Amino acid sequence: MHVNIRSILPKFVLLTALAHSANPDVLAVSESWLRKATKNSEISIPNYNIFRQDCNSSPFGSSVYCRDSLQSNVILSRSIPKQFELLILKITLSRNKSLTVAACYRPPSAPSCALDTICELIAPHLASEFVLLGDLNWDMLNTPAVLQSKLDALNLTQIIKEPTRYNPNSVNKGTLIDVILTNWPSKYTSAVFNQDLSDHCLIACIRYGAAVKRPPLITVKRSLKHFCEQAFLIDLARVSWKDIDLIPSVEDAWSFFKSNFLTILDKHAPFKKCRTKNRYSPWFTPDLTALDQHKNILWRTAITSNSPRDMQLFREVRNQYTQSVRKAKANFFRQKFASCSSNSKKFWDTVKSMENKSTSSQLPTALRLGNTVTTDKSMIIKNFNKHFSTAGHAFRLATPTSANSSPPPAATRPSLSRFSFTQIQIADVLKELQNLDPYKSAGLDNLDPLFLKLSAAIVATPITSLFNLSFISSDIPKDWKAAAVIPLFKGGDTLDPNCYRPISILPCLSKVFESQVNKQVTDHLESHRTFTAVQSGFRAGHGCTSGTLKVLNDIITAIDKRQYCAAVFIDLAKAFDSVNHHILIGRLSSLGFSDDCLAWFTNYFADRVQCVKSEGMLSGPLAVSMGVPQGSILGPTLFSVYINDVSHAAGDSLIHLYADDTILYTSGPSLDTVLSNLQTSFNAIQHSFRGLQLLLNASKTKCMLFNRSLPAPVPDQHHHPGWFRP
């Protein structure tokens, strides 16, 4: 399907409605008018991957939405200003069959040489089945001889036979400038439709043959159809939970609790398989579908009758449909926001849902690891697990000779009082259990937060005993150190595992336990003012706003003094995944943590594993030997401890941190002095990061010069070689 949209952004609601109602496998868009600064998330349609060829020098551009159940990737992307934009995709239909799909836009003022270049670019891809969709701005009802000769030479046939752009003053006058060209016309049937996005008609074709369909998403969850809360709680109360105090081993005590709880839970809420419905536009109502169909009928009637009255009736219904679509979406989200009340989490969840991002946990149809592409689902989850489990090895792979470099010495502090864990109280655990989010997923232990919340009054005591036993023995149940990882597509190439974000799901009780541990740790660190004042991340009374205001105030102050101010925005690659456990334990030791505490944290990091879980399948476990656990409660606090002393390397420059994001900045009357000081501080900061085995992400580390009325001379690269390069 192809449409000339003349700017996606202001018409994105209508484009989403089109995708919802027509449900095409491939939707090509000409004159997208997108700039490179436009994020994919702003124009994302759920269940589709988007590929773009933007043109910053002119308001043209082409984009292709390809259904995510199709294995697709870009094989050519070319733009020549004022000539054309061309985007070519390869879509794998089966093991031995593929389809090449191209989207092309040629402006009316393009020189004649543009046609020659387009033909040269598509010629190598015509050995297999090929389809080109686009707007070439030639009237194919009276095809120019030069164009027809080129199409004949390439064995391409135009399968659209009726006008695609009508004269608004005369229904029976129009031009055919939108094309679907293919080297296999017998496989396709085509049609022209009215649409509300621009003055071009929508063109589409159907390919004969077996459709490539993704099987329905089957999830396994507990059935509440016959669940009786009272009966569930009565059975739990009959268990002799006090016996857990007689068990000396944490693993055995956990096994006792888990087996008893799950036996009763499986009886009252057994697992069942469910088919997940994916309705990504809940605001698109059946009434809109009916109105859309009525509008299309009126369009055909007007074209056939050539009656001004019929055309006027069609335009009235078309305008009504356009207004109804926009009103339906606005009303839907207006009601959603009204229901948020003072719930900030619900408010931001609603804001995110407006982005139309897909949250499907379905696996891609194929995945590339190295030079190999696999379509076997068991291999896909295995490769995902291998990729995610080695995310923290970036520093070792990039600097193998420096892997054993010593960490920067800990800052000298006044003697701190020793820190040891104190016994956790039943009331605190009960409160944590009662505050659990019942909609969160269970970890690999299958203990759902919903049922722990319902039974909080009964199980709080044995769970508290289990937590305190862990302190005494410096041992943590192995189940609590196993994470289920779900790959979530971020955008980009569906074959590239780097385009997926790992979402870790930890056992619910491990997070309850960590919450109690984290409270004791942070109370100790904050009471001794351990954290540097320039760290705003994950601290009570601090945040993104306070950090931004501090940096902004410093920069404005320098500008008001008519000084130059330069800053380096430092990004670290996989920072949380790269934490070295040995260095972190040394940091905790220097902060006064007792030997028992250090033994507990050593066990906390030991023997951690993760499995990738998706579509009812589970990969084998792989060891995770580095990093703080993603999704954990302790992770952010431990990372702040790990990176805390980096600020001391800033020297004469100022520094501010928000978790792993760092800004290094300085000011002065002379640009040369500013850049020289900043380079010296930057070198020292890089050395500190290397000592912590953290790797700078050079592509995302940026520098910026701030001034208001002073001239901004170009830095002298001879005197400051590479100051802006990590």
Side-chain angles (χ1 to χ4, degrees):
M1 182 176 286
H2 168 265
V3 60
N4 181 307
I5 196 170
R6 295 182 63 80
S7 186
I8 286 181
L9 286 174
K11 304 172 185 176
F12 181 67
V13 174
L14 292 175
L15 185 66
T16 304
L18 171 64
H20 180 98
S21 57
N23 198 30
D25 288 318
V26 178
L27 174 58
V29 180
S30 295
E31 293 199 67
S32 55
W33 294 12
L34 298 175
R35 300 299 186 187
K36 294 189 183 301
T38 305
K39 297 179 180 178
N40 280 349
S41 59
E42 298 178 57
I43 53 170
S44 172
I45 299 177
N47 298 331
Y48 286 88
N49 297 321
I50 182 171
F51 304 94
R52 297 161 50 178
Q53 175 55 68
D54 303 331
C55 184
N56 272 348
S57 61
S58 57
F60 301 132
S62 295
S63 300
V64 177
Y65 290 90
C66 190
R67 187 167 290 282
D68 61 7
S69 60
L70 298 173
Q71 180 186 333
S72 54
N73 60 288
V74 175
I75 56 177
L76 187 143
S77 180
R78 186 69 57 84
S79 173
I80 299 180
K82 299 183 180 181
Q83 291 194 27
F84 65 85
E85 284 87 38
L86 179 65
L87 190 61
I88 303 181
L89 309 181
K90 180 180 179 182
I91 299 176
T92 302
L93 303 178
S94 64
R95 181 173 298 179
N96 301 317
K97 291 184 179 180
S98 64
L99 171 65
T100 303
V101 176
C104 183
Y105 176 75
R106 170 194 168 273
S109 59
S112 58
C113 62
L115 176 60
D116 296 330
T117 308
I118 292 172
C119 292
E120 290 174 4
L121 292 173
I122 66 176
H125 305 286
L126 297 176
S128 59
E129 188 176 345
F130 178 88
V131 178
L132 184 146
L133 307 98
D135 176 4
L136 298 183
N137 277 296
W138 272 302
D139 187 1
M140 303 297 285
L141 294 176
N142 301 290
T143 309
V146 63
L147 174 60
Q148 190 60 56
S149 65
K150 292 286 186 181
L151 296 181
D152 292 341
L154 296 173
N155 192 29
L156 291 175
T157 302
Q158 158 76 314
I159 60 175
I160 300 298
K161 301 300 183 183
E162 58 182 285
T164 60
R165 191 180 187 189
Y166 285 90
N167 187 326
N169 299 320
S170 180
V171 179
N172 61 349
K173 292 183 180 180
T175 55
L176 173 49
I177 59 177
D178 301 276
V179 301
I180 299 182
L181 305 173
T182 179
N183 58 357
W184 210 319
S186 61
K187 275 196 172 186
Y188 295 87
T189 182
S190 61
V192 177
F193 302 95
N194 159 260
Q195 50 82 25
D196 317 296
L197 298 167
S198 72
D199 57 350
H200 290 246
C201 292
L202 178 75
I203 58 175
C205 63
I206 298 176
R207 180 183 183 274
Y208 298 118
V212 180
K213 293 184 178 179
R214 180 190 285 273
L217 178 60
I218 304 297
T219 58
V220 178
K221 63 180 184 180
R222 294 193 179 274
S223 173
L224 299 179
K225 186 175 182 180
H226 303 293
F227 179 74
C228 175
E229 180 180 346
Q230 184 177 8
F232 170 65
L233 296 178
I234 289 173
D235 282 351
L236 278 179
R238 289 173 179 166
V239 177
S240 180
W241 295 110
K242 62 183 180 181
D243 292 350
I244 201 170
D245 294 327
L246 305 176
I247 304 175
S249 165
V250 166
E251 284 294 342
D252 292 341
W254 163 242
S255 179
F256 170 81
F257 178 88
K258 178 184 173 182
S259 61
N260 279 284
F261 194 93
L262 285 180
T263 298
I264 296 171
L265 182 56
D266 291 342
K267 171 186 172 182
H268 292 274
F271 284 108
K272 71 170 183 178
K273 292 184 178 180
C274 304
R275 177 176 294 191
T276 300
K277 294 182 180 179
N278 191 7
R279 192 179 180 205
Y280 58 80
S281 297
W283 50 267
F284 196 89
T285 62
D287 290 341
L288 288 177
T289 301
L291 187 59
D292 186 31
Q293 293 171 349
H294 179 50
K295 176 200 67 174
N296 292 333
I297 292 172
L298 292 178
W299 161 255
R300 279 295 164 193
T301 301
I303 293 297
T304 304
S305 68
N306 194 23
S307 166
R309 181 178 177 277
D310 290 341
M311 179 55 68
Q312 180 61 31
L313 182 59
F314 155 72
R315 286 171 177 162
E316 290 174 359
V317 175
R318 179 195 62 188
N319 294 341
Q320 180 187 351
Y321 173 76
T322 300
Q323 293 171 6
S324 298
V325 167
R326 288 175 171 155
K327 185 177 180 181
K329 184 174 183 180
N331 288 341
F332 175 81
F333 283 105
R334 188 178 294 113
Q335 293 173 7
K336 291 264 288 184
F337 280 118
S339 66
C340 293
S341 186
S342 58
N343 188 328
S344 60
K345 182 181 184 302
K346 190 175 180 181
F347 172 83
W348 287 112
D349 286 344
T350 303
V351 171
K352 291 177 183 178
S353 70
M354 296 178 69
E355 296 181 355
N356 278 327
K357 283 188 177 180
S358 174
T359 56
S360 171
S361 59
Q362 284 183 283
L363 290 171
T365 54
L367 191 73
R368 179 177 59 242
L369 196 65
N371 297 322
T372 305
V373 176
T374 180
T375 57
D376 179 71
K377 287 193 174 183
S378 61
M379 287 300 297
I380 288 175
I381 63 170
K382 181 179 179 181
N383 287 345
F384 265 131
N385 200 24
K386 182 178 180 180
H387 174 73
F388 292 147
S389 64
T390 57
H393 297 175
F395 180 85
R396 188 184 67 186
L397 296 174
T399 55
T401 57
S402 304
N404 296 320
S405 59
S406 59
T412 303
R413 296 183 178 86
S415 179
L416 296 177
S417 61
R418 302 292 287 175
F419 170 73
S420 297
F421 292 127
T422 58
Q423 291 282 295
I424 296 174
Q425 303 301 311
I426 296 175
D428 294 330
V429 175
L430 177 61
K431 184 178 179 180
E432 289 279 355
L433 294 174
Q434 290 173 335
N435 289 333
L436 288 175
D437 184 348
Y439 299 105
K440 292 290 186 180
S441 300
L444 293 174
D445 60 356
N446 292 323
L447 293 184
D448 296 76
L450 168 64
F451 303 105
L452 289 169
K453 182 185 180 79
L454 291 176
S455 59
I458 298 173
V459 300
T461 299
I463 289 175
T464 304
S465 298
L466 191 57
F467 291 168
N468 288 324
L469 181 59
S470 175
F471 283 159
I472 295 171
S473 61
S474 297
D475 194 12
I476 300 170
K478 287 184 171 57
D479 283 352
W480 294 0
K481 296 189 282 185
V485 177
I486 297 175
L488 190 65
F489 184 60
K490 297 186 294 185
D493 185 358
T494 57
L495 296 177
D496 186 359
N498 291 306
C499 292
Y500 294 82
R501 177 182 291 107
I503 305 299
S504 292
I505 301 176
L506 294 172
C508 177
L509 285 182
S510 74
K511 298 180 77 171
V512 173
F513 187 22
E514 286 191 34
S515 179
Q516 293 297 309
V517 175
N518 190 60
K519 185 177 184 305
Q520 294 188 28
V521 171
T522 53
D523 284 349
H524 171 75
L525 297 178
E526 292 289 0
S527 65
H528 292 85
R529 298 184 178 181
T530 303
F531 289 124
T532 174
V534 298
Q535 172 63 269
S536 294
F538 309 112
R539 296 179 62 195
H542 299 262
C544 185
T545 302
S546 62
T548 302
L549 290 175
K550 169 65 170 65
V551 173
L552 189 59
N553 181 70
D554 291 340
I555 293 173
I556 292 175
T557 300
I559 292 175
D560 288 343
K561 293 179 179 179
R562 298 185 60 80
Q563 294 182 336
Y564 288 100
C565 182
V568 177
F569 297 83
I570 301 172
D571 185 82
L572 298 173
K574 305 292 184 183
F576 281 72
D577 296 322
S578 302
V579 170
N580 181 290
H581 297 160
H582 176 72
I583 296 175
L584 177 56
I585 295 297
R587 285 281 190 259
L588 295 175
S589 177
S590 69
L591 295 176
F593 281 59
S594 68
D595 291 342
D596 288 342
C597 284
L598 297 178
W600 186 91
F601 276 108
T602 300
N603 185 271
Y604 173 81
F605 289 120
D607 303 320
R608 299 200 77 94
V609 297
Q610 69 175 35
C611 307
V612 169
K613 182 180 181 182
S614 185
E615 298 186 17
M617 296 184 294
L618 189 69
S619 72
L622 286 180
V624 181
S625 59
M626 302 185 70
V628 292
Q630 189 201 50
S632 65
I633 307 297
L634 276 169
T637 300
L638 293 175
F639 183 82
S640 295
V641 170
Y642 189 73
I643 205 174
N644 191 58
D645 292 342
V646 166
S647 61
H648 297 293
D652 294 333
S653 298
L654 299 174
I655 188 173
H656 207 90
L657 301 95
Y658 186 87
D660 60 326
D661 292 321
T662 306
I663 177 173
L664 184 69
Y665 58 108
T666 189
S667 60
S670 164
L671 180 62
D672 285 345
T673 301
V674 167
L675 298 185
S676 178
N677 290 342
L678 188 63
Q679 180 66 68
T680 301
S681 298
F682 186 43
N683 292 341
I685 290 292
Q686 288 188 84
H687 178 74
S688 293
F689 282 140
R690 282 194 294 269
L692 294 174
Q693 300 188 10
L694 298 176
L695 182 68
L696 263 69
N697 187 338
S699 64
K700 293 184 179 180
T701 296
K702 306 293 182 180
C703 58
M704 185 178 295
L705 180 66
F706 300 90
N707 66 7
R708 183 167 56 190
S709 57
L710 296 175
V714 177
D716 185 350
Q717 299 302 311
H718 178 72
H719 291 96
H720 307 286
W723 76 272
F724 55 92
R725 292 193 298 269

